[in-house]
Amino acid sequence: MKKKLAIPVKLIVMDAFGAVLLGLGVAEMFAGTNLVPQSWQFDHYALMMIIFGIALMLPIVTYMLSGRKNNTAREI
């Protein structure tokens, strides 16, 4: 029987927020949309949104990959 990998809600929220930041950053940088208010904009803000979006999405990836550890021997 396989074990289910229960993902904490905190990681799901971080992943969702990271995906929104990444999407907004890519849209601002490549499509030239003006979704971010002028008062929040600074030099290279779109690049920073992309970097922080990816950084917020990494913990769930590492959590999921660490849950795949298996102590049984693998056949080659």
Side-chain angles (χ1 to χ4, degrees), residues 2-66:
K2 290 186 178 186
K3 287 169 61 174
K4 276 192 167 181
L5 185 64
I7 301 172
V9 175
K10 178 173 64 171
L11 290 180
I12 295 173
V13 170
M14 284 176 59
D15 186 65
F17 188 63
V20 169
L21 269 179
L22 178 64
L24 279 174
V26 169
E28 290 285 330
M29 182 173 276
F30 297 113
T33 61
N34 290 320
L35 300 174
V36 177
Q38 186 70 30
S39 61
W40 292 1
Q41 294 179 7
F42 53 90
D43 291 338
H44 307 293
Y45 72 98
L47 181 62
M48 294 302 292
M49 289 171 61
I50 292 170
I51 291 170
F52 281 120
I54 291 171
L56 285 172
M57 293 171 72
L58 282 178
I60 199 167
V61 173
T62 57
Y63 179 82
M64 292 171 72
L65 290 177
S66 69

